PDB file of all heavy atoms in Angstrom:
ATOM      1  N   ASN A 225     186.481  25.203 -77.764  1.00 89.00           N
ATOM      2  CA  ASN A 225     185.175  25.304 -77.099  1.00 89.00           C
ATOM      3  C   ASN A 225     184.590  26.703 -77.264  1.00 89.00           C
ATOM      4  O   ASN A 225     183.403  26.861 -77.539  1.00 89.00           O
ATOM      5  CB  ASN A 225     185.290  24.959 -75.619  1.00 89.00           C
ATOM      6  CG  ASN A 225     185.601  23.507 -75.394  1.00 89.00           C
ATOM      7  OD1 ASN A 225     185.364  22.675 -76.266  1.00 89.00           O
ATOM      8  ND2 ASN A 225     186.143  23.181 -74.230  1.00 89.00           N
ATOM      9  N   ARG A 226     185.433  27.717 -77.063  1.00 89.00           N
ATOM     10  CA  ARG A 226     184.957  29.093 -77.212  1.00 89.00           C
ATOM     11  C   ARG A 226     184.541  29.373 -78.657  1.00 89.00           C
ATOM     12  O   ARG A 226     183.554  30.055 -78.916  1.00 89.00           O
ATOM     13  CB  ARG A 226     186.023  30.083 -76.767  1.00 89.00           C
ATOM     14  CG  ARG A 226     186.096  30.229 -75.246  1.00 89.00           C
ATOM     15  CD  ARG A 226     186.870  31.461 -74.837  1.00 89.00           C
ATOM     16  NE  ARG A 226     188.252  31.450 -75.313  1.00 89.00           N
ATOM     17  CZ  ARG A 226     189.258  30.825 -74.707  1.00 89.00           C
ATOM     18  NH1 ARG A 226     189.027  30.151 -73.598  1.00 89.00           N
ATOM     19  NH2 ARG A 226     190.466  30.874 -75.195  1.00 89.00           N
ATOM     20  N   SER A 227     185.302  28.840 -79.591  1.00 89.00           N
ATOM     21  CA  SER A 227     184.978  29.037 -81.004  1.00 89.00           C
ATOM     22  C   SER A 227     183.632  28.407 -81.338  1.00 89.00           C
ATOM     23  O   SER A 227     182.794  29.016 -82.016  1.00 89.00           O
ATOM     24  CB  SER A 227     186.076  28.442 -81.877  1.00 89.00           C
ATOM     25  OG  SER A 227     185.728  28.527 -83.226  1.00 89.00           O
ATOM     26  N   MET A 228     183.409  27.184 -80.872  1.00 92.00           N
ATOM     27  CA  MET A 228     182.137  26.520 -81.133  1.00 92.00           C
ATOM     28  C   MET A 228     180.992  27.232 -80.427  1.00 92.00           C
ATOM     29  O   MET A 228     179.891  27.330 -80.954  1.00 92.00           O
ATOM     30  CB  MET A 228     182.213  25.055 -80.714  1.00 92.00           C
ATOM     31  CG  MET A 228     183.045  24.213 -81.660  1.00 92.00           C
ATOM     32  SD  MET A 228     182.997  22.465 -81.298  1.00 92.00           S
ATOM     33  CE  MET A 228     184.126  22.392 -79.896  1.00 92.00           C
ATOM     34  N   GLU A 229     181.249  27.739 -79.232  1.00 93.00           N
ATOM     35  CA  GLU A 229     180.216  28.476 -78.505  1.00 93.00           C
ATOM     36  C   GLU A 229     179.821  29.744 -79.261  1.00 93.00           C
ATOM     37  O   GLU A 229     178.637  30.052 -79.412  1.00 93.00           O
ATOM     38  CB  GLU A 229     180.721  28.844 -77.104  1.00 93.00           C
ATOM     39  CG  GLU A 229     179.712  29.638 -76.291  1.00 93.00           C
ATOM     40  CD  GLU A 229     180.263  30.066 -74.942  1.00 93.00           C
ATOM     41  OE1 GLU A 229     181.481  29.950 -74.718  1.00 93.00           O
ATOM     42  OE2 GLU A 229     179.467  30.530 -74.120  1.00 93.00           O
ATOM     43  N   SER A 230     180.815  30.465 -79.768  1.00 93.00           N
ATOM     44  CA  SER A 230     180.529  31.680 -80.539  1.00 93.00           C
ATOM     45  C   SER A 230     179.749  31.355 -81.802  1.00 93.00           C
ATOM     46  O   SER A 230     178.791  32.053 -82.147  1.00 93.00           O
ATOM     47  CB  SER A 230     181.833  32.391 -80.915  1.00 93.00           C
ATOM     48  OG  SER A 230     182.517  32.810 -79.776  1.00 93.00           O
ATOM     49  N   SER A 231     180.134  30.289 -82.471  1.00 94.00           N
ATOM     50  CA  SER A 231     179.416  29.882 -83.680  1.00 94.00           C
ATOM     51  C   SER A 231     177.971  29.521 -83.352  1.00 94.00           C
ATOM     52  O   SER A 231     177.047  29.879 -84.081  1.00 94.00           O
ATOM     53  CB  SER A 231     180.112  28.689 -84.337  1.00 94.00           C
ATOM     54  OG  SER A 231     181.401  29.035 -84.750  1.00 94.00           O
ATOM     55  N   GLY A 232     177.781  28.825 -82.256  1.00 95.00           N
ATOM     56  CA  GLY A 232     176.429  28.447 -81.844  1.00 95.00           C
ATOM     57  C   GLY A 232     175.582  29.654 -81.501  1.00 95.00           C
ATOM     58  O   GLY A 232     174.389  29.707 -81.842  1.00 95.00           O
ATOM     59  N   GLN A 233     176.177  30.629 -80.827  1.00 95.00           N
ATOM     60  CA  GLN A 233     175.432  31.839 -80.493  1.00 95.00           C
ATOM     61  C   GLN A 233     175.049  32.616 -81.742  1.00 95.00           C
ATOM     62  O   GLN A 233     173.934  33.135 -81.845  1.00 95.00           O
ATOM     63  CB  GLN A 233     176.257  32.714 -79.552  1.00 95.00           C
ATOM     64  CG  GLN A 233     176.375  32.155 -78.156  1.00 95.00           C
ATOM     65  CD  GLN A 233     177.344  32.955 -77.288  1.00 95.00           C
ATOM     66  OE1 GLN A 233     178.077  33.799 -77.772  1.00 95.00           O
ATOM     67  NE2 GLN A 233     177.319  32.685 -75.986  1.00 95.00           N
ATOM     68  N   LEU A 234     175.959  32.699 -82.709  1.00 95.00           N
ATOM     69  CA  LEU A 234     175.645  33.394 -83.955  1.00 95.00           C
ATOM     70  C   LEU A 234     174.525  32.684 -84.711  1.00 95.00           C
ATOM     71  O   LEU A 234     173.623  33.330 -85.259  1.00 95.00           O
ATOM     72  CB  LEU A 234     176.887  33.495 -84.838  1.00 95.00           C
ATOM     73  CG  LEU A 234     177.930  34.518 -84.397  1.00 95.00           C
ATOM     74  CD1 LEU A 234     179.167  34.443 -85.284  1.00 95.00           C
ATOM     75  CD2 LEU A 234     177.349  35.910 -84.432  1.00 95.00           C
ATOM     76  N   ARG A 235     174.572  31.348 -84.738  1.00 96.00           N
ATOM     77  CA  ARG A 235     173.504  30.600 -85.399  1.00 96.00           C
ATOM     78  C   ARG A 235     172.169  30.842 -84.707  1.00 96.00           C
ATOM     79  O   ARG A 235     171.135  31.003 -85.361  1.00 96.00           O
ATOM     80  CB  ARG A 235     173.826  29.106 -85.411  1.00 96.00           C
ATOM     81  CG  ARG A 235     174.707  28.682 -86.559  1.00 96.00           C
ATOM     82  CD  ARG A 235     174.735  27.172 -86.711  1.00 96.00           C
ATOM     83  NE  ARG A 235     175.119  26.452 -85.505  1.00 96.00           N
ATOM     84  CZ  ARG A 235     176.368  26.203 -85.142  1.00 96.00           C
ATOM     85  NH1 ARG A 235     177.375  26.601 -85.895  1.00 96.00           N
ATOM     86  NH2 ARG A 235     176.630  25.544 -84.033  1.00 96.00           N
ATOM     87  N   ALA A 236     172.172  30.869 -83.375  1.00 96.00           N
ATOM     88  CA  ALA A 236     170.932  31.099 -82.628  1.00 96.00           C
ATOM     89  C   ALA A 236     170.381  32.496 -82.911  1.00 96.00           C
ATOM     90  O   ALA A 236     169.164  32.669 -83.082  1.00 96.00           O
ATOM     91  CB  ALA A 236     171.182  30.919 -81.133  1.00 96.00           C
ATOM     92  N   LEU A 237     171.251  33.490 -82.978  1.00 96.00           N
ATOM     93  CA  LEU A 237     170.795  34.848 -83.280  1.00 96.00           C
ATOM     94  C   LEU A 237     170.222  34.943 -84.689  1.00 96.00           C
ATOM     95  O   LEU A 237     169.193  35.584 -84.909  1.00 96.00           O
ATOM     96  CB  LEU A 237     171.943  35.843 -83.113  1.00 96.00           C
ATOM     97  CG  LEU A 237     172.368  36.137 -81.679  1.00 96.00           C
ATOM     98  CD1 LEU A 237     173.629  36.997 -81.654  1.00 96.00           C
ATOM     99  CD2 LEU A 237     171.240  36.814 -80.924  1.00 96.00           C
ATOM    100  N   ARG A 238     170.898  34.296 -85.645  1.00 96.00           N
ATOM    101  CA  ARG A 238     170.383  34.299 -87.018  1.00 96.00           C
ATOM    102  C   ARG A 238     169.021  33.608 -87.088  1.00 96.00           C
ATOM    103  O   ARG A 238     168.111  34.073 -87.771  1.00 96.00           O
ATOM    104  CB  ARG A 238     171.363  33.605 -87.956  1.00 96.00           C
ATOM    105  CG  ARG A 238     172.366  34.559 -88.541  1.00 96.00           C
ATOM    106  CD  ARG A 238     173.154  33.886 -89.667  1.00 96.00           C
ATOM    107  NE  ARG A 238     174.556  33.915 -89.270  1.00 96.00           N
ATOM    108  CZ  ARG A 238     175.331  32.871 -89.060  1.00 96.00           C
ATOM    109  NH1 ARG A 238     174.883  31.668 -89.256  1.00 96.00           N
ATOM    110  NH2 ARG A 238     176.569  33.011 -88.671  1.00 96.00           N
ATOM    111  N   GLN A 239     168.884  32.507 -86.374  1.00 96.00           N
ATOM    112  CA  GLN A 239     167.610  31.783 -86.368  1.00 96.00           C
ATOM    113  C   GLN A 239     166.515  32.634 -85.740  1.00 96.00           C
ATOM    114  O   GLN A 239     165.389  32.680 -86.235  1.00 96.00           O
ATOM    115  CB  GLN A 239     167.753  30.459 -85.603  1.00 96.00           C
ATOM    116  CG  GLN A 239     166.474  29.642 -85.570  1.00 96.00           C
ATOM    117  CD  GLN A 239     166.043  29.200 -86.946  1.00 96.00           C
ATOM    118  OE1 GLN A 239     166.855  28.781 -87.756  1.00 96.00           O
ATOM    119  NE2 GLN A 239     164.756  29.300 -87.233  1.00 96.00           N
ATOM    120  N   GLU A 240     166.829  33.316 -84.649  1.00 96.00           N
ATOM    121  CA  GLU A 240     165.844  34.185 -83.992  1.00 96.00           C
ATOM    122  C   GLU A 240     165.414  35.317 -84.929  1.00 96.00           C
ATOM    123  O   GLU A 240     164.227  35.636 -85.031  1.00 96.00           O
ATOM    124  CB  GLU A 240     166.442  34.757 -82.710  1.00 96.00           C
ATOM    125  CG  GLU A 240     165.488  35.629 -81.919  1.00 96.00           C
ATOM    126  CD  GLU A 240     166.108  36.168 -80.649  1.00 96.00           C
ATOM    127  OE1 GLU A 240     167.188  35.694 -80.250  1.00 96.00           O
ATOM    128  OE2 GLU A 240     165.506  37.072 -80.058  1.00 96.00           O
ATOM    129  N   GLN A 241     166.375  35.908 -85.619  1.00 96.00           N
ATOM    130  CA  GLN A 241     166.062  36.987 -86.556  1.00 96.00           C
ATOM    131  C   GLN A 241     165.191  36.472 -87.700  1.00 96.00           C
ATOM    132  O   GLN A 241     164.220  37.131 -88.098  1.00 96.00           O
ATOM    133  CB  GLN A 241     167.355  37.589 -87.104  1.00 96.00           C
ATOM    134  CG  GLN A 241     167.139  38.779 -88.006  1.00 96.00           C
ATOM    135  CD  GLN A 241     168.452  39.347 -88.512  1.00 96.00           C
ATOM    136  OE1 GLN A 241     169.496  38.685 -88.451  1.00 96.00           O
ATOM    137  NE2 GLN A 241     168.417  40.552 -89.012  1.00 96.00           N
ATOM    138  N   THR A 242     165.498  35.302 -88.208  1.00 96.00           N
ATOM    139  CA  THR A 242     164.697  34.713 -89.278  1.00 96.00           C
ATOM    140  C   THR A 242     163.284  34.426 -88.793  1.00 96.00           C
ATOM    141  O   THR A 242     162.303  34.698 -89.499  1.00 96.00           O
ATOM    142  CB  THR A 242     165.354  33.413 -89.785  1.00 96.00           C
ATOM    143  OG1 THR A 242     166.665  33.719 -90.257  1.00 96.00           O
ATOM    144  CG2 THR A 242     164.544  32.774 -90.896  1.00 96.00           C
ATOM    145  N   THR A 243     163.160  33.900 -87.587  1.00 96.00           N
ATOM    146  CA  THR A 243     161.843  33.589 -87.029  1.00 96.00           C
ATOM    147  C   THR A 243     161.013  34.857 -86.875  1.00 96.00           C
ATOM    148  O   THR A 243     159.832  34.886 -87.233  1.00 96.00           O
ATOM    149  CB  THR A 243     161.993  32.880 -85.671  1.00 96.00           C
ATOM    150  OG1 THR A 243     162.742  31.678 -85.862  1.00 96.00           O
ATOM    151  CG2 THR A 243     160.643  32.545 -85.066  1.00 96.00           C
ATOM    152  N   ARG A 244     161.629  35.914 -86.346  1.00 96.00           N
ATOM    153  CA  ARG A 244     160.894  37.180 -86.188  1.00 96.00           C
ATOM    154  C   ARG A 244     160.466  37.740 -87.537  1.00 96.00           C
ATOM    155  O   ARG A 244     159.352  38.230 -87.688  1.00 96.00           O
ATOM    156  CB  ARG A 244     161.760  38.206 -85.453  1.00 96.00           C
ATOM    157  CG  ARG A 244     161.892  37.919 -83.988  1.00 96.00           C
ATOM    158  CD  ARG A 244     162.697  38.993 -83.302  1.00 96.00           C
ATOM    159  NE  ARG A 244     162.849  38.702 -81.893  1.00 96.00           N
ATOM    160  CZ  ARG A 244     163.539  39.448 -81.065  1.00 96.00           C
ATOM    161  NH1 ARG A 244     164.161  40.522 -81.507  1.00 96.00           N
ATOM    162  NH2 ARG A 244     163.628  39.125 -79.799  1.00 96.00           N
TER     163      ARG A 244
END
Side-chain angles (χ1 to χ4, degrees):
N225 292 339
R226 281 196 300 277
S227 175
M228 287 187 282
E229 179 184 12
S230 297
S231 297
Q233 288 173 349
L234 285 175
R235 275 193 305 274
L237 288 173
R238 270 191 240 118
Q239 181 64 42
E240 182 179 348
Q241 184 179 17
T242 301
T243 301
R244 286 183 181 178

